[in-house]
Amino acid sequence: MPRSVEICQFVARAINHTTWNVPKIRDGDGRWRNINNSHLVENQHRINGHDHYEDAIFRAKRIMEQRGWITEISDSKQPCHEHLYYQHYRLRCWK
């Protein structure tokens, strides 16, 4: 039976700043939760709060592929108001 995992990351993009939220993961039980070993996907060159997680979803994709998982990433954008939109990334991994 194939195993699967989903990872998601929510991003708020404005004119002068982008906020990358903590990535979440879910597997067989269907509940979203924070990634336990989030240090593996942190951007060590950032010093600002959630900016540690800039591009974390793409680092998670590389890690999963290196471990032999098949991956597929998608994103959707949702406008909020004139100068802000939300972007939802979702990474699906399976073996």
Side-chain angles (χ1 to χ4, degrees):
M1 174 181 272
R3 295 180 298 165
S4 66
V5 171
E6 282 185 282
I7 300 169
C8 71
Q9 189 171 22
F10 176 77
V11 183
R13 297 184 187 276
I15 290 176
N16 296 323
H17 188 70
T18 299
T19 302
W20 292 81
N21 287 290
V22 178
K24 306 269 186 196
I25 188 169
R26 77 176 172 187
D27 51 19
D29 66 3
R31 292 179 307 127
W32 288 104
R33 58 193 176 281
N34 289 349
I35 294 177
N36 287 337
N37 48 358
S38 59
H39 65 282
L40 295 174
V41 295
E42 286 179 2
N43 182 344
Q44 299 300 325
H45 303 292
R46 291 293 187 160
I47 57 172
N48 249 356
H50 282 185
D51 284 348
H52 282 294
Y53 297 105
E54 182 180 31
D55 294 326
I57 193 86
F58 303 106
R59 279 189 287 286
K61 182 180 190 306
R62 283 193 303 272
I63 289 169
M64 295 302 280
E65 287 173 347
Q66 289 168 354
R67 295 182 179 187
W69 291 73
I70 300 166
T71 64
E72 175 182 84
I73 196 163
S74 62
D75 74 310
S76 61
K77 293 180 183 176
Q78 175 187 355
C80 181
H81 58 72
E82 187 178 357
H83 301 295
L84 173 69
Y85 69 91
Y86 299 127
Q87 192 161 9
H88 301 264
Y89 289 98
R90 182 155 296 174
L91 172 64
R92 193 168 74 90
C93 310
W94 67 96
K95 277 192 172 185

